[in-house]
Amino acid sequence: MSDVKMLNCPSVPNMPWQDKPSGLKGAPIWRYNENPIINRNPVENVARIFNSAVVPYEGKFVGVFRGEQRDGVSFIYFGRSDDGINWNIDEEKINFVDEDGKPFQPIYAYDPRLVKVEDTYYAIWCQDFYGAAIGIAKTTDFKTFTRIENPFIPFNRNAVLFPRKINGNYVLLSRPSDSGHTPFGDIFLSESPDMVYWGKHRHVMGRCSEWWESLKIGGGAAPIETTEGWLMFYHGVAGTCNGYVYSIGGAILDIDNPSIVKYRCKNFLLTPEEWYEERGFVNNVTFPCATVHDPDTGRIALYYGCADSYVSLAFTKVDEIVDYIKANSLTRNEDTEIGKR
Ligand code: BMA
């Protein structure tokens, strides 16, 4: 095993964890044996919670959750947990305020990510902006969520912020799309000095010939900084005669120029196999949105949505997963170039 380490992230000694089961086949990532951790009808008025993100906070855990209400519309809900596994989700959706302190609620909001950069936590999701687009809010106390200007014009989804500035700028991954069930999509990156003005757009990586990610790809969890580069868990989609299938992939991006892909695993890391991944409101979806990770032990807990119905956990170790991605890497010119044309 190599000696890959995580960099620039705080210790999380109480993170959720289970040891690797014996006889595991394929990628070194294993499911929590009590999945799903959030079941259907978790709170009054919410039929399903999935595709949600969590962070460690004050020795415990907090998260932003995609809650699909009984009318089928999704909004963002806040939740707390002592152990990262058992969650108390608020019955009321988050009431955002705008930058003038006035109430703000998007028409819909889904697939939130949650990332701490310096002293601020940013929630990023997909919302209507005359079509599907990226919404962002910031908070420092998880009591007031201040919605800031949308970074991009439509159509776009799957925005994921890096956990620190790179070369002095915030860096955001996103996936330009259409406003429906987009049958295409590559991951791009954009920079901003202030979270208001975005530019220096770069192509990071595209869908590719491996069948599991041949239709579209999109950012997943916030990248983890390691001695080998930024470890990125993302989703890749296959278009089958029975509909889309969402799997989880892994890639490693250059530390200083993250539009350069150093390694990209040609195999999926995790694909729908369990009942809660194969069967639900939308069958065959595993959709990563967050990790909790501990640099002292190299442990990573990956939170992923299942079948648009549940939240589950999978575990891996940074050295094992990076070794697997490197050993099974297949990159193309489109991946390894800077992505500027
Ligand atoms: C995508 C998003 C995800 C969802 C997936 C599968 O377009 O809407 O929220 O999990 O489709 O339905």
Side-chain angles (χ1 to χ4, degrees):
M1 198 63 59
S2 63
D3 195 25
V4 186
K5 298 268 183 266
M6 298 176 199
L7 300 172
N8 296 320
C9 50
S11 302
V12 190
N14 60 334
M15 66 171 277
W17 183 251
Q18 245 172 12
D19 286 333
K20 179 158 71 173
S22 58
L24 183 75
K25 297 196 174 57
I29 183 163
W30 52 97
R31 295 165 175 85
Y32 179 50
N33 66 7
E34 290 183 49
N35 275 346
I37 60 168
I38 302 179
N39 245 301
R40 285 176 187 258
N41 302 304
V43 287
E44 191 59 43
N45 300 323
V46 177
R48 294 176 293 274
I49 284 187
F50 54 101
N51 300 3
S52 301
V54 315
V55 291
Y57 181 65
E58 294 183 340
K60 297 180 179 176
F61 303 89
V62 295
V64 289
F65 295 85
R66 173 177 177 164
E68 221 156 82
Q69 304 180 139
R70 296 194 189 285
D71 59 4
V73 181
S74 285
F75 289 99
I76 313 296
Y77 289 74
F78 178 68
R80 296 177 183 277
S81 172
D82 287 350
D83 58 7
I85 294 175
N86 297 289
W87 287 90
N88 291 313
I89 315 270
D90 289 351
E91 281 189 17
E92 290 298 321
K93 51 187 175 269
I94 294 176
N95 287 307
F96 297 97
V97 292
D98 67 17
E99 288 167 289
D100 298 324
K102 299 201 182 90
F104 170 80
Q105 191 59 251
I107 295 172
Y108 61 76
Y110 62 77
D111 295 355
R113 274 58 168 203
L114 184 60
V115 186
K116 185 181 187 197
V117 186
E118 297 170 354
D119 293 329
T120 303
Y121 295 85
Y122 295 91
I124 315 156
W125 61 85
C126 176
Q127 68 161 59
D128 176 71
F129 178 34
Y130 303 90
I134 308 299
I136 302 190
K138 61 182 178 183
T139 184
T140 50
D141 57 7
F142 294 102
K143 294 187 179 107
T144 305
F145 290 83
T146 306
R147 183 270 183 137
I148 55 182
E149 289 270 347
N150 295 342
F152 305 133
I153 57 174
F155 306 105
N156 206 318
R157 290 190 178 92
N158 295 306
V160 180
L161 196 60
F162 281 71
R164 70 164 168 85
K165 291 179 181 167
I166 302 173
N167 304 318
N169 286 334
Y170 295 95
V171 181
L172 190 69
L173 299 171
S174 75
R175 210 280 305 288
S177 66
D178 64 19
S179 210
H181 300 297
T182 313
F184 61 87
D186 293 359
I187 298 177
F188 288 79
L189 165 162
S190 309
E191 295 185 26
S192 172
D194 53 8
M195 292 291 284
V196 176
Y197 296 102
W198 293 89
K200 290 195 173 177
H201 310 292
R202 303 279 182 270
H203 182 268
V204 179
M205 56 192 237
R207 62 204 126 145
C208 67
S209 50
E210 275 65 63
W211 287 9
W212 69 270
E213 55 174 342
S214 56
L215 188 81
K216 58 178 169 175
I217 59 173
I224 300 172
E225 188 168 2
T226 78
T227 46
E228 285 291 325
W230 293 101
L231 169 60
M232 178 175 79
F233 296 101
Y234 65 99
H235 69 259
V237 182
T240 75
C241 56
N242 209 18
Y244 291 175
V245 175
Y246 281 71
S247 303
I248 300 176
I252 296 168
L253 312 179
D254 185 85
I255 282 287
D256 298 316
N257 288 298
S259 66
I260 296 174
V261 180
K262 289 175 65 182
Y263 307 101
R264 175 175 183 174
C265 191
K266 65 181 162 50
N267 302 331
F268 54 73
L269 301 180
L270 194 142
T271 199
E273 288 176 0
E274 297 292 336
W275 66 264
Y276 50 86
E277 300 162 348
E278 289 183 335
R279 288 197 313 278
F281 186 70
V282 179
N283 296 341
N284 295 315
V285 181
T286 52
F287 196 92
C289 288
T291 60
V292 168
H293 45 275
D294 175 43
D296 303 335
T297 55
R299 293 173 172 178
I300 299 173
L302 179 67
Y303 289 77
Y304 65 104
C306 298
D308 289 10
S309 301
Y310 314 101
V311 176
S312 286
L313 261 178
F315 304 109
T316 186
K317 295 198 74 176
V318 69
D319 49 358
E320 293 187 49
I321 202 75
V322 167
D323 284 358
Y324 183 84
I325 292 170
K326 287 173 70 173
N328 293 282
S329 177
L330 179 63
T331 54
R332 300 146 194 86
N333 286 344
E334 266 206 0
D335 299 329
T336 53
E337 64 194 14
I338 194 82
K340 179 177 153 186
R341 284 184 183 161

